[in-house]
Structures are given as C-alpha cells and as structure tokens.
Amino acid sequence: MGQLDGRRIVLGITGGIAAYKAIEVCRRLTDAGAHVAPVMTKGALRFVGKSTFDALGSEKTQISLWDENHSIPHTRLGQGADLIVVCPATARLISDYRNGRSGDLLTATLLATRSKVMVCPAMHTEMWEQASVAENISVLRERGVEIVGPVEGKLAGGDNGFGRLAEPDDIVDSIFKLLGKDSGHQTGDLAGLTVLVTAGGTREPIGPVRFIGNRSSGKQGHALASEAVSRGAKVICITTEAESAPDILGVELIETETAQEMHDAVMENASRADWVFMAAAVADFRPKKIASQKIKKEEGLTEITLEPTLDILQAISKKRKDSQLIIGFAAETNDLLQNAARKLESKNLDFIIANDVSEPDVGFGYDTNSVSVIDRNGLCSEISLCDKREVARNIIDIVSESWSEQGTHPKIQ
Ligand code: CTP
C-alpha cells in the first residue's frame, strides 16, 4: 500500500527555474499512490515541458481555464482535491492567492477549493525578503496555508542565499505528514514514537566576532530527522544549522549555538524522546573568558584559556528513562572501531555510529557518508558510501529492529 493511496493532489507549477524539481515531486507522489493532477501556469511552460507532467502525472496537464472538455475545470480540480500543492510558488502566485485574484487556472483552482493548500516558495533572496512578500506569506500562514521552505542555497544565476526551493524529499515528506494527519493518524512504521536528534557543530565564542568551531554541517543529523518524520515519528531536532534543517511538519526545531545551549535544550527535552540520536559535533572545550569587544591585532598574541564543556551524552545516559534508546556518534581519523567501542561503553550507549572522516566523501560537509553501526554486544553493521538520507534510512532500520526485539518495550507497528 502506498502512503498516499486514494489521495487526490493538484500539483500547481509556476514559472521559476525550480520548476524542474516539481518533476521529482510529481513522480514521488504518484509512486506513493496519489492521483496527481498537474496544473501549470504559462510562466512554468518557459522552464519545463507540459509533456513531462502529462507522462508522470495521473491525468493530462491543465494550463488554461478554457482548454479542457469539462466546462468548469477549476471547480472540478479544486473541489476534488485533498490537497493543492504549489511547487514552486513565485512571488506573483503568492500575491494573487493572498489577494483572491484568479487570473489563470491555478489561481482559480486555489480559490475554488476547501482543501488544504501547501505553498513552496522559490525566488531570489531580495524578493523573498521584500516586506510585501513577507506580509503575503505571513497572512497565508495565518489562514492555515502550509508554507514549506524556502531554504538557503544556490539560486538562479549562480547566486547563493535564502530563497531556494525546499528539497523535493522534504516537500514530499511534508505532504505525507499533512495527508497522514488529515486521516486522523500518523502513518509509517515509526508512528507513535518521539525521536530527538541533535545536529551541527557547536560554536564557542572567543568574543563578539570570533568563535571556536568545527566542520560539521548538520547534514547527517538533519537526514535522520527527515527520515524519522517521513516514517511517522514526531521529531525534536536540536541544531546549530537551523537554516538548512528540515522545515517540515512533524519536526520541532530548536536552534542552539554553544555546547551549553545544546546541553540545556537536550536535558529539557530528552525525557519526551523514545530514541535520542546525538549526531551533533559538540565542542569538548570552550574559552574560559569571552571578550566583550573585538580583540584587536595591536593587542598582540592573546592567550586563550579553555575549560571543559559538559558531556551531553554522559548526562542524558545517567538520566535515561526506561526503554529509551541512546545513540551516539564518533567521528574519528584513526582506530575507528576501537575508539567508537570505547565511547559506546564509557557513555553507556545502545549504539554508536562511527565514521572515518579522513576517508574521501565521508562525513563533515559531504552529502554522502559511510558508517559502522556498533551495538552494545559489539555487533557491527557496515553502511557503505551512499547518500546521507540513505545512511539515515539504514541506521533507523537497525535501531527500529532492536527496539521491536525488546520484549519489555512497546513494539512499533
Ligand atoms: N558529545 C556530547 N557532549 C560533548 C562531546 C561529545 O554529547 N561535550 C557526544 C557527541 O555528540 C557524539 C559523542 O559524544 O555523539 C562522541 O563525540 P566525540 O567528539 O567523537 O567524542 P568525545 O567523547 O568528545 O571524545 P574525543 O573528542 O576525544 O574523540
């Protein structure tokens, strides 16, 4: 059974370069069993072909109010939909929708519906930050429209910044959550579980300008959060990289910067979690004194005295509630398995996920990873080099198998 069996989705595509990503969204939705009716604006046709959506959607792509056999296509589409997703949504579409203007089939369909609506904006940073666009978005949000993204990253013309369309995976995950919730229950094999994930590298301030940090990007932790939520879990994601964190329904984001802030956030929330994934790279030491003003080079070489931070994993495993699974991470450059096994034991963990960050394409900053998953009995499973989301899928499979095997603990469906 597909996650979206029997669901009817209108997929609106407007004119932006990110329109090509809607192709993947369309394919994933039909793969999941949804009936997808693509509706393109004239602008969208400048970026992608109608025949692509004809082939991947569940019915012929509609463009105009006047070219369908049905005399009132917008009401047929709008009234029959469980969800209308606009992906990507331009500033024009957002403004028209907010103001109730129906200049084309897509905006007419948005007005002729009582279904849920999801808008996935994509535009240049300057446009996204315009007061008018920001106001339109906040009005739509207040009206109950789901806004997914945008995120930070590469934009058209080689620019970098905020305004990039959310990743197709995250958009599809949000759709799964929305329609799952609609039917009164969360779907997926982790439904009913709460998963806490930490992600990113902490930053320890030296003063108002400089900090001591590390190379962690938060990608593996975020991939775990996305995977868990797409499988029905409720996720608490405590991250130092909130801008690139999954902005999807079911994920409660908590932004932190320092080891102390992350410690406090984890301690406050860990008791709610069935599983804790401590994927963040937490500083072991921090400057003892934080300069109140920028340290000037004329002052000469300044000695920075460090003091230890608290070990978050040690702290939560001491307060572990019954049945809770605690999973640590170990990024190493040598003696991988020995170092990881030592940490598993000294921090009293259920699993440790070890990776050798000196290997090419592994760990910090990359989209790929290769890890060893070691359990309490020393059993080791290797996950060879693949996309971090795929790594997350495999890690969660291993953890959920062990969770289900624990006779004393509630089984997940
Ligand atoms: N960790 C933590 N709190 C800290 C430091 C680390 O919770 N202050 C967690 C990390 O999130 C990770 C695990 O402990 O899940 C191992 O972190 P790592 O930095 O590899 O190990 P350390 O114990 O700090 O040992 P070392 O840096 O010497 O390798």
Side-chain angles (χ1 to χ4, degrees):
M1 243 184 70
Q3 285 233 39
L4 300 174
D5 275 347
R7 297 300 198 169
R8 297 186 71 87
I9 299 175
V10 173
L11 177 63
I13 305 118
T14 66
I17 184 61
Y20 77 93
K21 292 191 183 172
I23 296 169
E24 178 63 11
V25 172
C26 183
R27 190 192 60 78
R28 293 272 318 268
L29 295 179
T30 48
D31 280 354
H35 177 103
V36 180
V39 175
M40 296 175 78
T41 63
K42 284 199 181 126
L45 289 170
R46 292 180 176 270
F47 295 90
V48 278
K50 172 181 178 298
S51 47
T52 311
F53 289 98
D54 284 345
L56 293 173
S58 314
E59 56 180 74
K60 279 241 179 271
T61 308
Q62 302 291 310
I63 293 157
S64 155
L65 276 159
W66 314 109
D67 63 0
E68 202 202 19
N69 292 336
H70 198 286
S71 53
I72 31 178
H74 56 302
T75 52
R76 178 187 74 87
L77 288 163
Q79 290 171 355
D82 293 307
L83 174 71
I84 302 178
V85 184
V86 187
C87 165
T90 55
R92 195 269 309 164
L93 180 285
I94 290 165
S95 165
D96 281 357
Y97 182 33
R98 182 249 161 119
N99 290 301
R101 240 178 251 124
S102 61
D104 56 17
L105 178 59
L106 179 57
T107 43
T109 305
L110 282 165
L111 297 188
T113 194
R114 292 203 173 90
S115 81
K116 288 183 184 291
V117 174
M118 179 182 289
V119 167
C120 310
M123 62 195 77
H124 252 75
T125 312
E126 295 83 341
M127 294 175 81
W128 175 249
E129 288 175 351
Q130 272 306 321
S132 52
V133 176
E135 192 197 318
N136 289 339
I137 286 287
S138 79
V139 169
L140 291 181
R141 206 175 254 134
E142 270 167 36
R143 290 179 189 161
V145 174
E146 291 295 340
I147 310 291
V148 178
V151 294
E152 197 176 8
K154 255 210 183 115
L155 302 170
D159 289 346
N160 246 299
F162 213 73
R164 182 181 159 93
L165 184 73
E167 288 308 314
D169 260 349
D170 290 339
I171 293 170
V172 172
D173 287 348
S174 296
I175 294 170
F176 283 4
K177 293 302 288 183
L178 202 60
L179 294 183
K181 226 170 65 176
D182 220 8
S183 62
H185 63 276
Q186 291 186 310
T187 53
D189 63 331
L190 306 189
L193 283 185
T194 300
V195 174
L196 186 153
V197 180
T198 65
T202 60
R203 293 175 164 194
E204 306 303 326
I206 296 170
V209 178
R210 302 178 181 91
F211 61 84
I212 299 174
N214 61 66
R215 295 182 196 279
S216 172
S217 61
K219 286 180 182 171
Q220 187 62 73
H222 294 165
L224 278 161
S226 298
E227 177 65 15
V229 86
S230 78
R231 290 165 67 162
K234 181 178 178 333
V235 173
I236 306 161
C237 178
I238 301 175
T239 180
T240 63
E241 299 289 333
E243 289 202 340
S244 59
D247 181 15
I248 48 181
L249 279 173
V251 178
E252 182 183 332
L253 276 183
I254 302 176
E255 191 172 359
T256 57
E257 184 169 295
T258 63
Q260 183 66 47
E261 284 171 14
M262 186 169 278
H263 169 272
D264 295 349
V266 172
M267 295 313 281
E268 197 180 318
N269 291 286
S271 63
R272 289 199 280 147
D274 298 294
W275 301 352
V276 177
F277 287 98
M278 193 67 209
V282 185
D284 291 324
F285 297 95
R286 65 174 171 223
K288 201 166 181 177
K289 268 202 202 132
I290 304 173
S292 57
Q293 291 182 330
K294 186 181 175 194
I295 303 169
K296 304 300 288 177
K297 117 176 123 213
E298 290 79 49
E299 293 170 32
L301 211 54
T302 319
E303 246 181 40
I304 299 170
T305 309
L306 301 177
E307 63 181 3
T309 58
L310 295 165
D311 191 305
I312 305 171
L313 264 180
Q314 296 269 20
I316 47 166
S317 76
K318 277 189 191 136
K319 287 193 151 188
R320 172 201 297 267
K321 56 170 194 177
D322 280 358
S323 84
Q324 189 173 48
L325 293 182
I326 302 183
I327 300 103
F329 284 70
E332 307 288 344
T333 55
N334 54 284
D335 304 319
L336 178 71
L337 297 180
Q338 294 92 314
N339 280 331
R342 190 173 41 76
K343 286 176 190 174
L344 177 127
E345 203 184 316
S346 67
K347 301 192 188 209
N348 186 22
L349 307 174
D350 296 287
F351 291 93
I352 191 139
I353 319 293
N355 62 358
D356 185 340
V357 290
S358 64
E359 293 280 324
D361 298 332
V362 172
F364 297 143
Y366 294 108
D367 290 329
T368 49
N369 209 354
S370 158
V371 303
S372 305
V373 183
I374 309 170
D375 73 9
R376 272 182 184 282
N377 305 317
L379 203 71
C380 181
S381 317
E382 302 290 341
I383 302 172
S384 47
L385 194 70
C386 57
D387 186 84
K388 282 186 170 164
R389 179 66 183 255
E390 190 60 31
V391 172
R393 200 164 292 150
N394 283 294
I395 292 174
I396 288 182
D397 283 346
I398 294 170
V399 173
S400 95
E401 200 181 317
S402 145
W403 174 261
S404 296
E405 277 167 4
Q406 300 181 50
T408 49
H409 307 315
K411 281 199 168 209
I412 52 176
Q413 306 107 25

